[in-house]
PDB file of all heavy atoms in Angstrom:
ATOM      1  N   LYS Z   1       0.840  -1.204   0.000  1.00 85.00           N
ATOM      2  CA  LYS Z   1       0.000   0.000   0.000  1.00 85.00           C
ATOM      3  C   LYS Z   1       0.871   1.249   0.000  1.00 85.00           C
ATOM      4  O   LYS Z   1       0.589   2.230  -0.708  1.00 85.00           O
ATOM      5  CB  LYS Z   1      -0.915  -0.022   1.223  1.00 85.00           C
ATOM      6  CG  LYS Z   1      -1.836   1.193   1.334  1.00 85.00           C
ATOM      7  CD  LYS Z   1      -2.791   1.302   0.159  1.00 85.00           C
ATOM      8  CE  LYS Z   1      -3.762   2.451   0.356  1.00 85.00           C
ATOM      9  NZ  LYS Z   1      -4.580   2.712  -0.844  1.00 85.00           N
ATOM     10  N   THR Z   2       1.946   1.230   0.788  1.00 80.00           N
ATOM     11  CA  THR Z   2       2.875   2.359   0.803  1.00 80.00           C
ATOM     12  C   THR Z   2       3.492   2.567  -0.569  1.00 80.00           C
ATOM     13  O   THR Z   2       3.603   3.701  -1.060  1.00 80.00           O
ATOM     14  CB  THR Z   2       3.991   2.112   1.839  1.00 80.00           C
ATOM     15  OG1 THR Z   2       3.406   1.957   3.134  1.00 80.00           O
ATOM     16  CG2 THR Z   2       4.978   3.264   1.873  1.00 80.00           C
ATOM     17  N   ILE Z   3       3.900   1.484  -1.207  1.00 80.00           N
ATOM     18  CA  ILE Z   3       4.523   1.570  -2.526  1.00 80.00           C
ATOM     19  C   ILE Z   3       3.554   2.151  -3.552  1.00 80.00           C
ATOM     20  O   ILE Z   3       3.903   3.056  -4.320  1.00 80.00           O
ATOM     21  CB  ILE Z   3       5.020   0.178  -2.963  1.00 80.00           C
ATOM     22  CG1 ILE Z   3       6.210  -0.253  -2.098  1.00 80.00           C
ATOM     23  CG2 ILE Z   3       5.417   0.178  -4.441  1.00 80.00           C
ATOM     24  CD1 ILE Z   3       6.660  -1.674  -2.328  1.00 80.00           C
ATOM     25  N   VAL Z   4       2.341   1.645  -3.584  1.00 86.00           N
ATOM     26  CA  VAL Z   4       1.368   2.111  -4.574  1.00 86.00           C
ATOM     27  C   VAL Z   4       1.022   3.583  -4.360  1.00 86.00           C
ATOM     28  O   VAL Z   4       0.976   4.375  -5.311  1.00 86.00           O
ATOM     29  CB  VAL Z   4       0.091   1.238  -4.534  1.00 86.00           C
ATOM     30  CG1 VAL Z   4      -0.973   1.810  -5.439  1.00 86.00           C
ATOM     31  CG2 VAL Z   4       0.411  -0.184  -4.958  1.00 86.00           C
ATOM     32  N   ASP Z   5       0.790   3.968  -3.111  1.00 87.00           N
ATOM     33  CA  ASP Z   5       0.450   5.364  -2.819  1.00 87.00           C
ATOM     34  C   ASP Z   5       1.559   6.301  -3.270  1.00 87.00           C
ATOM     35  O   ASP Z   5       1.304   7.334  -3.918  1.00 87.00           O
ATOM     36  CB  ASP Z   5       0.199   5.549  -1.318  1.00 87.00           C
ATOM     37  CG  ASP Z   5      -1.124   4.938  -0.872  1.00 87.00           C
ATOM     38  OD1 ASP Z   5      -1.965   4.663  -1.744  1.00 87.00           O
ATOM     39  OD2 ASP Z   5      -1.303   4.726   0.343  1.00 87.00           O
ATOM     40  N   ARG Z   6       2.810   5.984  -2.929  1.00 82.00           N
ATOM     41  CA  ARG Z   6       3.917   6.847  -3.295  1.00 82.00           C
ATOM     42  C   ARG Z   6       4.151   6.835  -4.807  1.00 82.00           C
ATOM     43  O   ARG Z   6       4.516   7.859  -5.391  1.00 82.00           O
ATOM     44  CB  ARG Z   6       5.189   6.409  -2.569  1.00 82.00           C
ATOM     45  CG  ARG Z   6       5.096   6.491  -1.056  1.00 82.00           C
ATOM     46  CD  ARG Z   6       4.828   7.908  -0.602  1.00 82.00           C
ATOM     47  NE  ARG Z   6       5.986   8.778  -0.794  1.00 82.00           N
ATOM     48  CZ  ARG Z   6       5.931  10.079  -0.932  1.00 82.00           C
ATOM     49  NH1 ARG Z   6       4.756  10.691  -0.932  1.00 82.00           N
ATOM     50  NH2 ARG Z   6       7.026  10.797  -1.092  1.00 82.00           N
ATOM     51  N   ALA Z   7       3.949   5.701  -5.449  1.00 84.00           N
ATOM     52  CA  ALA Z   7       4.136   5.619  -6.899  1.00 84.00           C
ATOM     53  C   ALA Z   7       3.151   6.523  -7.629  1.00 84.00           C
ATOM     54  O   ALA Z   7       3.515   7.237  -8.574  1.00 84.00           O
ATOM     55  CB  ALA Z   7       3.985   4.183  -7.358  1.00 84.00           C
ATOM     56  N   VAL Z   8       1.902   6.512  -7.219  1.00 88.00           N
ATOM     57  CA  VAL Z   8       0.882   7.357  -7.848  1.00 88.00           C
ATOM     58  C   VAL Z   8       1.223   8.833  -7.659  1.00 88.00           C
ATOM     59  O   VAL Z   8       1.138   9.641  -8.592  1.00 88.00           O
ATOM     60  CB  VAL Z   8      -0.509   7.027  -7.277  1.00 88.00           C
ATOM     61  CG1 VAL Z   8      -1.531   8.071  -7.710  1.00 88.00           C
ATOM     62  CG2 VAL Z   8      -0.946   5.642  -7.722  1.00 88.00           C
ATOM     63  N   THR Z   9       1.624   9.189  -6.431  1.00 83.00           N
ATOM     64  CA  THR Z   9       1.937  10.597  -6.147  1.00 83.00           C
ATOM     65  C   THR Z   9       3.112  11.089  -6.986  1.00 83.00           C
ATOM     66  O   THR Z   9       3.038  12.150  -7.616  1.00 83.00           O
ATOM     67  CB  THR Z   9       2.261  10.765  -4.652  1.00 83.00           C
ATOM     68  OG1 THR Z   9       1.133  10.361  -3.873  1.00 83.00           O
ATOM     69  CG2 THR Z   9       2.599  12.210  -4.332  1.00 83.00           C
ATOM     70  N   LEU Z  10       4.200  10.323  -7.018  1.00 81.00           N
ATOM     71  CA  LEU Z  10       5.404  10.786  -7.699  1.00 81.00           C
ATOM     72  C   LEU Z  10       5.296  10.712  -9.222  1.00 81.00           C
ATOM     73  O   LEU Z  10       5.950  11.476  -9.921  1.00 81.00           O
ATOM     74  CB  LEU Z  10       6.611   9.972  -7.227  1.00 81.00           C
ATOM     75  CG  LEU Z  10       7.061  10.263  -5.795  1.00 81.00           C
ATOM     76  CD1 LEU Z  10       8.169   9.322  -5.387  1.00 81.00           C
ATOM     77  CD2 LEU Z  10       7.539  11.695  -5.664  1.00 81.00           C
ATOM     78  N   SER Z  11       4.495   9.793  -9.735  1.00 84.00           N
ATOM     79  CA  SER Z  11       4.367   9.665 -11.189  1.00 84.00           C
ATOM     80  C   SER Z  11       3.361  10.646 -11.767  1.00 84.00           C
ATOM     81  O   SER Z  11       3.256  10.801 -12.983  1.00 84.00           O
ATOM     82  CB  SER Z  11       3.962   8.239 -11.562  1.00 84.00           C
ATOM     83  OG  SER Z  11       2.671   7.934 -11.045  1.00 84.00           O
ATOM     84  N   GLY Z  12       2.590  11.319 -10.896  1.00 85.00           N
ATOM     85  CA  GLY Z  12       1.576  12.237 -11.367  1.00 85.00           C
ATOM     86  C   GLY Z  12       0.417  11.549 -12.061  1.00 85.00           C
ATOM     87  O   GLY Z  12      -0.284  12.161 -12.874  1.00 85.00           O
ATOM     88  N   THR Z  13       0.196  10.296 -11.746  1.00 91.00           N
ATOM     89  CA  THR Z  13      -0.907   9.544 -12.346  1.00 91.00           C
ATOM     90  C   THR Z  13      -2.134   9.623 -11.447  1.00 91.00           C
ATOM     91  O   THR Z  13      -2.099  10.168 -10.344  1.00 91.00           O
ATOM     92  CB  THR Z  13      -0.498   8.082 -12.578  1.00 91.00           C
ATOM     93  OG1 THR Z  13       0.055   7.539 -11.373  1.00 91.00           O
ATOM     94  CG2 THR Z  13       0.555   7.989 -13.679  1.00 91.00           C
ATOM     95  N   ASP Z  14      -3.224   9.040 -11.934  1.00 94.00           N
ATOM     96  CA  ASP Z  14      -4.487   9.127 -11.198  1.00 94.00           C
ATOM     97  C   ASP Z  14      -4.758   7.916 -10.323  1.00 94.00           C
ATOM     98  O   ASP Z  14      -5.527   8.004  -9.357  1.00 94.00           O
ATOM     99  CB  ASP Z  14      -5.645   9.286 -12.193  1.00 94.00           C
ATOM    100  CG  ASP Z  14      -5.510  10.563 -13.010  1.00 94.00           C
ATOM    101  OD1 ASP Z  14      -5.377  11.637 -12.393  1.00 94.00           O
ATOM    102  OD2 ASP Z  14      -5.519  10.480 -14.246  1.00 94.00           O
ATOM    103  N   ALA Z  15      -4.172   6.785 -10.659  1.00 94.00           N
ATOM    104  CA  ALA Z  15      -4.461   5.559  -9.897  1.00 94.00           C
ATOM    105  C   ALA Z  15      -3.315   4.575 -10.081  1.00 94.00           C
ATOM    106  O   ALA Z  15      -2.515   4.676 -11.011  1.00 94.00           O
ATOM    107  CB  ALA Z  15      -5.778   4.932 -10.348  1.00 94.00           C
ATOM    108  N   GLY Z  16      -3.268   3.620  -9.177  1.00 92.00           N
ATOM    109  CA  GLY Z  16      -2.250   2.584  -9.261  1.00 92.00           C
ATOM    110  C   GLY Z  16      -2.723   1.314  -8.580  1.00 92.00           C
ATOM    111  O   GLY Z  16      -3.638   1.334  -7.755  1.00 92.00           O
ATOM    112  N   SER Z  17      -2.091   0.212  -8.923  1.00 92.00           N
ATOM    113  CA  SER Z  17      -2.448  -1.074  -8.314  1.00 92.00           C
ATOM    114  C   SER Z  17      -1.314  -2.061  -8.499  1.00 92.00           C
ATOM    115  O   SER Z  17      -0.449  -1.888  -9.360  1.00 92.00           O
ATOM    116  CB  SER Z  17      -3.740  -1.629  -8.934  1.00 92.00           C
ATOM    117  OG  SER Z  17      -3.598  -1.735 -10.340  1.00 92.00           O
ATOM    118  N   ILE Z  18      -1.334  -3.073  -7.661  1.00 89.00           N
ATOM    119  CA  ILE Z  18      -0.385  -4.179  -7.788  1.00 89.00           C
ATOM    120  C   ILE Z  18      -1.193  -5.450  -8.004  1.00 89.00           C
ATOM    121  O   ILE Z  18      -2.163  -5.723  -7.281  1.00 89.00           O
ATOM    122  CB  ILE Z  18       0.504  -4.299  -6.544  1.00 89.00           C
ATOM    123  CG1 ILE Z  18       1.562  -3.184  -6.562  1.00 89.00           C
ATOM    124  CG2 ILE Z  18       1.186  -5.659  -6.482  1.00 89.00           C
ATOM    125  CD1 ILE Z  18       2.505  -3.209  -5.391  1.00 89.00           C
ATOM    126  N   PHE Z  19      -0.799  -6.201  -9.021  1.00 92.00           N
ATOM    127  CA  PHE Z  19      -1.437  -7.479  -9.324  1.00 92.00           C
ATOM    128  C   PHE Z  19      -0.454  -8.602  -9.009  1.00 92.00           C
ATOM    129  O   PHE Z  19       0.706  -8.560  -9.429  1.00 92.00           O
ATOM    130  CB  PHE Z  19      -1.845  -7.548 -10.800  1.00 92.00           C
ATOM    131  CG  PHE Z  19      -3.041  -6.709 -11.145  1.00 92.00           C
ATOM    132  CD1 PHE Z  19      -2.905  -5.356 -11.425  1.00 92.00           C
ATOM    133  CD2 PHE Z  19      -4.308  -7.277 -11.188  1.00 92.00           C
ATOM    134  CE1 PHE Z  19      -3.997  -4.574 -11.748  1.00 92.00           C
ATOM    135  CE2 PHE Z  19      -5.416  -6.494 -11.505  1.00 92.00           C
ATOM    136  CZ  PHE Z  19      -5.264  -5.150 -11.789  1.00 92.00           C
ATOM    137  N   TYR Z  20      -0.930  -9.610  -8.264  1.00 89.00           N
ATOM    138  CA  TYR Z  20      -0.111 -10.793  -7.973  1.00 89.00           C
ATOM    139  C   TYR Z  20      -0.204 -11.772  -9.137  1.00 89.00           C
ATOM    140  O   TYR Z  20      -1.290 -11.989  -9.686  1.00 89.00           O
ATOM    141  CB  TYR Z  20      -0.580 -11.493  -6.696  1.00 89.00           C
ATOM    142  CG  TYR Z  20      -0.650 -10.604  -5.480  1.00 89.00           C
ATOM    143  CD1 TYR Z  20      -1.787 -10.590  -4.677  1.00 89.00           C
ATOM    144  CD2 TYR Z  20       0.414  -9.793  -5.122  1.00 89.00           C
ATOM    145  CE1 TYR Z  20      -1.863  -9.786  -3.552  1.00 89.00           C
ATOM    146  CE2 TYR Z  20       0.346  -8.983  -4.003  1.00 89.00           C
ATOM    147  CZ  TYR Z  20      -0.790  -8.986  -3.214  1.00 89.00           C
ATOM    148  OH  TYR Z  20      -0.859  -8.192  -2.116  1.00 89.00           O
ATOM    149  N   TYR Z  21       0.920 -12.383  -9.453  1.00 90.00           N
ATOM    150  CA  TYR Z  21       0.928 -13.392 -10.515  1.00 90.00           C
ATOM    151  C   TYR Z  21       0.934 -14.778  -9.890  1.00 90.00           C
ATOM    152  O   TYR Z  21       1.748 -15.071  -9.006  1.00 90.00           O
ATOM    153  CB  TYR Z  21       2.159 -13.209 -11.400  1.00 90.00           C
ATOM    154  CG  TYR Z  21       2.257 -14.232 -12.523  1.00 90.00           C
ATOM    155  CD1 TYR Z  21       1.207 -14.396 -13.417  1.00 90.00           C
ATOM    156  CD2 TYR Z  21       3.392 -15.017 -12.671  1.00 90.00           C
ATOM    157  CE1 TYR Z  21       1.291 -15.326 -14.443  1.00 90.00           C
ATOM    158  CE2 TYR Z  21       3.487 -15.947 -13.704  1.00 90.00           C
ATOM    159  CZ  TYR Z  21       2.431 -16.104 -14.577  1.00 90.00           C
ATOM    160  OH  TYR Z  21       2.513 -17.023 -15.585  1.00 90.00           O
ATOM    161  N   ARG Z  22       0.015 -15.629 -10.341  1.00 89.00           N
ATOM    162  CA  ARG Z  22      -0.071 -17.010  -9.868  1.00 89.00           C
ATOM    163  C   ARG Z  22       0.396 -17.930 -10.994  1.00 89.00           C
ATOM    164  O   ARG Z  22      -0.387 -18.284 -11.878  1.00 89.00           O
ATOM    165  CB  ARG Z  22      -1.500 -17.362  -9.449  1.00 89.00           C
ATOM    166  CG  ARG Z  22      -2.134 -16.396  -8.442  1.00 89.00           C
ATOM    167  CD  ARG Z  22      -1.315 -16.247  -7.200  1.00 89.00           C
ATOM    168  NE  ARG Z  22      -1.963 -15.403  -6.188  1.00 89.00           N
ATOM    169  CZ  ARG Z  22      -1.332 -14.872  -5.163  1.00 89.00           C
ATOM    170  NH1 ARG Z  22      -0.020 -15.070  -5.029  1.00 89.00           N
ATOM    171  NH2 ARG Z  22      -1.985 -14.116  -4.289  1.00 89.00           N
ATOM    172  N   PRO Z  23       1.681 -18.296 -11.010  1.00 87.00           N
ATOM    173  CA  PRO Z  23       2.237 -19.028 -12.150  1.00 87.00           C
ATOM    174  C   PRO Z  23       1.587 -20.383 -12.404  1.00 87.00           C
ATOM    175  O   PRO Z  23       1.475 -20.800 -13.558  1.00 87.00           O
ATOM    176  CB  PRO Z  23       3.725 -19.179 -11.784  1.00 87.00           C
ATOM    177  CG  PRO Z  23       3.794 -18.987 -10.299  1.00 87.00           C
ATOM    178  CD  PRO Z  23       2.695 -18.042  -9.964  1.00 87.00           C
ATOM    179  N   LYS Z  24       1.167 -21.079 -11.354  1.00 86.00           N
ATOM    180  CA  LYS Z  24       0.566 -22.399 -11.557  1.00 86.00           C
ATOM    181  C   LYS Z  24      -0.726 -22.313 -12.352  1.00 86.00           C
ATOM    182  O   LYS Z  24      -1.074 -23.236 -13.094  1.00 86.00           O
ATOM    183  CB  LYS Z  24       0.315 -23.077 -10.213  1.00 86.00           C
ATOM    184  CG  LYS Z  24       1.598 -23.460  -9.469  1.00 86.00           C
ATOM    185  CD  LYS Z  24       1.278 -24.194  -8.172  1.00 86.00           C
ATOM    186  CE  LYS Z  24       2.547 -24.605  -7.455  1.00 86.00           C
ATOM    187  NZ  LYS Z  24       2.260 -25.328  -6.183  1.00 86.00           N
ATOM    188  N   MET Z  25      -1.443 -21.207 -12.184  1.00 87.00           N
ATOM    189  CA  MET Z  25      -2.705 -21.029 -12.894  1.00 87.00           C
ATOM    190  C   MET Z  25      -2.555 -20.133 -14.115  1.00 87.00           C
ATOM    191  O   MET Z  25      -3.482 -20.038 -14.925  1.00 87.00           O
ATOM    192  CB  MET Z  25      -3.756 -20.443 -11.944  1.00 87.00           C
ATOM    193  CG  MET Z  25      -4.059 -21.313 -10.736  1.00 87.00           C
ATOM    194  SD  MET Z  25      -5.304 -20.563  -9.649  1.00 87.00           S
ATOM    195  CE  MET Z  25      -4.394 -19.149  -9.021  1.00 87.00           C
ATOM    196  N   GLY Z  26      -1.402 -19.446 -14.224  1.00 89.00           N
ATOM    197  CA  GLY Z  26      -1.225 -18.507 -15.330  1.00 89.00           C
ATOM    198  C   GLY Z  26      -2.200 -17.345 -15.240  1.00 89.00           C
ATOM    199  O   GLY Z  26      -2.666 -16.834 -16.251  1.00 89.00           O
ATOM    200  N   ARG Z  27      -2.511 -16.907 -14.014  1.00 90.00           N
ATOM    201  CA  ARG Z  27      -3.509 -15.881 -13.791  1.00 90.00           C
ATOM    202  C   ARG Z  27      -2.965 -14.781 -12.887  1.00 90.00           C
ATOM    203  O   ARG Z  27      -2.003 -14.971 -12.147  1.00 90.00           O
ATOM    204  CB  ARG Z  27      -4.760 -16.477 -13.125  1.00 90.00           C
ATOM    205  CG  ARG Z  27      -5.521 -17.488 -13.989  1.00 90.00           C
ATOM    206  CD  ARG Z  27      -6.253 -16.769 -15.109  1.00 90.00           C
ATOM    207  NE  ARG Z  27      -7.174 -17.623 -15.820  1.00 90.00           N
ATOM    208  CZ  ARG Z  27      -6.861 -18.423 -16.838  1.00 90.00           C
ATOM    209  NH1 ARG Z  27      -5.594 -18.508 -17.226  1.00 90.00           N
ATOM    210  NH2 ARG Z  27      -7.773 -19.139 -17.453  1.00 90.00           N
ATOM    211  N   PHE Z  28      -3.603 -13.609 -12.974  1.00 92.00           N
ATOM    212  CA  PHE Z  28      -3.296 -12.490 -12.085  1.00 92.00           C
ATOM    213  C   PHE Z  28      -4.495 -12.236 -11.173  1.00 92.00           C
ATOM    214  O   PHE Z  28      -5.642 -12.480 -11.563  1.00 92.00           O
ATOM    215  CB  PHE Z  28      -3.024 -11.206 -12.885  1.00 92.00           C
ATOM    216  CG  PHE Z  28      -1.715 -11.204 -13.613  1.00 92.00           C
ATOM    217  CD1 PHE Z  28      -1.639 -11.678 -14.919  1.00 92.00           C
ATOM    218  CD2 PHE Z  28      -0.559 -10.734 -13.008  1.00 92.00           C
ATOM    219  CE1 PHE Z  28      -0.430 -11.674 -15.604  1.00 92.00           C
ATOM    220  CE2 PHE Z  28       0.646 -10.725 -13.676  1.00 92.00           C
ATOM    221  CZ  PHE Z  28       0.719 -11.190 -14.984  1.00 92.00           C
ATOM    222  N   GLU Z  29      -4.194 -11.720  -9.974  1.00 90.00           N
ATOM    223  CA  GLU Z  29      -5.276 -11.276  -9.099  1.00 90.00           C
ATOM    224  C   GLU Z  29      -4.873  -9.957  -8.443  1.00 90.00           C
ATOM    225  O   GLU Z  29      -3.691  -9.707  -8.187  1.00 90.00           O
ATOM    226  CB  GLU Z  29      -5.609 -12.321  -8.034  1.00 90.00           C
ATOM    227  CG  GLU Z  29      -4.505 -12.650  -7.067  1.00 90.00           C
ATOM    228  CD  GLU Z  29      -4.925 -13.714  -6.065  1.00 90.00           C
ATOM    229  OE1 GLU Z  29      -5.372 -14.792  -6.503  1.00 90.00           O
ATOM    230  OE2 GLU Z  29      -4.803 -13.448  -4.851  1.00 90.00           O
ATOM    231  N   LEU Z  30      -5.863  -9.126  -8.191  1.00 92.00           N
ATOM    232  CA  LEU Z  30      -5.624  -7.780  -7.687  1.00 92.00           C
ATOM    233  C   LEU Z  30      -5.132  -7.807  -6.252  1.00 92.00           C
ATOM    234  O   LEU Z  30      -5.654  -8.531  -5.413  1.00 92.00           O
ATOM    235  CB  LEU Z  30      -6.914  -6.957  -7.789  1.00 92.00           C
ATOM    236  CG  LEU Z  30      -6.829  -5.496  -7.352  1.00 92.00           C
ATOM    237  CD1 LEU Z  30      -5.880  -4.717  -8.261  1.00 92.00           C
ATOM    238  CD2 LEU Z  30      -8.213  -4.862  -7.340  1.00 92.00           C
ATOM    239  N   GLY Z  31      -4.115  -6.948  -5.991  1.00 89.00           N
ATOM    240  CA  GLY Z  31      -3.606  -6.778  -4.635  1.00 89.00           C
ATOM    241  C   GLY Z  31      -3.994  -5.425  -4.077  1.00 89.00           C
ATOM    242  O   GLY Z  31      -5.172  -5.096  -3.994  1.00 89.00           O
TER     243      GLY Z  31
END
């Protein structure tokens, strides 16, 4: 949460998110 908040602020973007990768399923899920 700290990383995403600071990334959005410093990049001047409107939103940010981190997605976890699950290699066994070949899928992503929202963090």
Side-chain angles (χ1 to χ4, degrees):
K1 180 62 175 172
T2 300
I3 291 173
V4 174
D5 287 344
R6 298 300 289 155
V8 169
T9 300
L10 289 175
S11 64
T13 51
D14 298 306
S17 56
I18 285 181
F19 286 84
Y20 306 131
Y21 179 55
R22 307 304 184 196
K24 292 183 178 180
M25 300 180 292
R27 295 287 190 275
F28 288 91
E29 62 181 54
L30 182 64

